[in-house]
Amino acid sequence: MSLPPAQITGPSAWYGPDMAQRSAEWIRPFTAAEIAEIAAVAGPLAEQQVEIASLRQADFPLPTLGPILADLKQEILEGRGFALLRGLPVADWGLRMAATAFYGVGLHFGRACSQNGKGHVLGHVQDLGLSSKDPNVRIYQTSERQTFHTDSCDIVGLLCLKQAKRGGHSALVSSVTIYNEMMKRSDLARHLFAPLATDRRGEIAPGEKPYFEIPVFNWHAGLLSAIYQRQYIDSAQRFEDAPRLSAETVAALDLFDALADDPALNFEMVLEPGDIQLVHNHNLLHDRTGFEDWPEDAEKRHLLRLWLSPEDARPLPEVFRQRFGSIEPGRRGGIILEETKLVAPMTARG
């Protein structure tokens, strides 16, 4: 087992309160000219109802904004790990225009991946009145707190269309900082470098187990990458053939959660309509607080989501192939089943 140094330094090893004070560094408003440039491409595509899932970066040229997004992508992949683009006029645009614009901007960060067994490359994050107690329900389909986790991709993007009546705030924490703090306090971190079962929640590709076995912490090519969803680690224990969690591993997971939840490490941000949040999954975890929604369907909390795979993403260890399908940058991540056909639905139940 290859282990990192006891303390990892660099721009991704940040603390939440400090980062919250530096919002001018990571909030980047769109200019009027940039919005016009996006609209000039997205407008005709939306009007013609072009299948969004068929689009490639070349179909969405952004001669002025594109180089800015390329620099921002490097900051996400190699720097602090996240950014917030602010100010798309989504209320004026309507759903299809906003979805097309978001997808086109997202393509400048990577190829879009399927987010479920239905092949949805455009996800709708909404409360569908479901409960995570159902082993085939994923938490983003509920109004529950998600808890800190990673998604099955290199970069996750969110576009806020509608805010909740109360709550539903986004939170981030550095998994590098969590590792550093664990190492300061105990030797429990070493238990998270061993594979452990994580529930696939019913989305199982041919020949795969109903769970994957990847360590929470992975040290590869001089980089620490994390993959984590505590609820799905716990629910994988329902499978008789899943490796049992040792007392030491449970203690390590509990310490990991306590540190992730510590306001000395994490911070919250409020996504406003028109905001695009971009997060590097390999060295950050994200969370969403529980929320109370509006009673009117037209006003309910609604975000669009992208899972993105950049061609210049970091190398990943072989074990990630279990979840990512491939470990080739630009061709990895997402959930692909035998019957999967890529689509970009306009509703959460599409």
Side-chain angles (χ1 to χ4, degrees), residues 274-296:
D275 284 355
I276 295 177
Q277 182 196 65
L278 297 150
V279 175
H280 190 206
N281 268 302
H282 302 312
N283 56 19
L284 270 68
L285 297 98
H286 57 281
D287 188 7
R288 184 213 57 217
T289 64
F291 64 90
E292 177 189 348
D293 222 340
W294 300 96
E296 302 85 4

Side-chain angles (χ1 to χ4, degrees), residues 181-245:
E181 290 296 322
M182 289 187 77
M183 292 298 291
K184 290 177 184 177
R185 301 172 192 217
S186 75
D187 64 350
L188 286 172
R190 63 185 176 86
H191 295 285
L192 301 185
F193 286 88
L196 73 171
T198 300
D199 195 346
R200 295 183 187 271
R201 305 295 278 188
E203 295 178 318
I204 310 164
E208 298 284 1
K209 297 177 181 179
Y211 53 87
F212 59 85
E213 297 175 79
I214 304 176
V216 172
F217 287 133
N218 298 266
W219 181 247
H220 180 71
L223 297 166
L224 184 73
S225 298
I227 184 167
Y228 193 71
Q229 174 62 278
R230 178 65 185 271
Q231 293 99 322
Y232 299 172
I233 292 171
D234 290 342
S235 69
Q237 295 296 292
R238 66 194 170 102
F239 302 111
E240 292 184 0
D241 62 341
R244 299 298 97 179
L245 297 172

Side-chain angles (χ1 to χ4, degrees), residues 68-179:
I68 295 170
L69 299 181
D71 289 342
L72 191 61
K73 179 177 66 169
Q74 292 311 306
E75 179 61 39
I76 292 167
L77 294 176
E78 300 175 7
R80 66 179 167 266
F82 71 97
L84 186 72
L85 296 168
R86 170 153 287 169
L88 290 184
V90 293
D92 296 334
W93 280 354
L95 177 58
R96 179 168 287 277
M97 175 70 169
T100 304
F102 177 45
Y103 196 88
V105 169
L107 290 173
H108 286 261
F109 293 88
R111 181 184 64 88
C113 309
S114 171
Q115 299 173 37
N116 54 32
K118 298 178 181 180
H120 292 179
V121 292
L122 183 71
H124 293 259
V125 181
Q126 290 179 291
D127 176 20
L128 301 182
L130 305 175
S131 168
S132 65
K133 293 180 181 178
D134 182 334
N136 293 319
V137 167
R138 287 163 61 190
I139 297 172
Y140 74 86
Q141 298 170 316
T142 76
S143 62
E144 303 166 27
R145 181 197 167 189
Q146 286 192 308
T147 76
F148 283 102
H149 65 284
T150 61
D151 289 347
S152 298
C153 59
D154 296 306
I155 296 174
V156 59
L158 291 171
L159 169 64
C160 179
L161 299 176
K162 298 276 188 177
Q163 295 171 304
K165 180 178 181 181
R166 188 176 294 107
H169 299 161
S170 176
L172 299 177
V173 69
S174 164
S175 51
V176 178
T177 302
I178 292 175
Y179 166 80

Side-chain angles (χ1 to χ4, degrees), residues 300-350:
K300 289 186 181 298
R301 183 180 188 272
H302 190 182
L303 283 77
L304 299 180
R305 183 177 62 193
L306 292 173
W307 283 2
L308 301 167
S309 178
E311 292 186 355
D312 50 352
R314 66 170 55 186
L316 291 175
E318 177 66 26
V319 70
F320 269 72
R321 195 181 298 275
Q322 288 183 54
R323 184 56 172 169
F324 280 50
S326 165
I327 56 172
E328 178 188 356
R331 297 290 182 272
R332 68 192 188 195
I335 299 170
I336 299 293
L337 308 184
E338 197 168 32
E339 68 277 12
T340 297
K341 179 182 178 181
L342 300 183
V343 293
M346 288 295 107
T347 69
R349 300 181 188 272

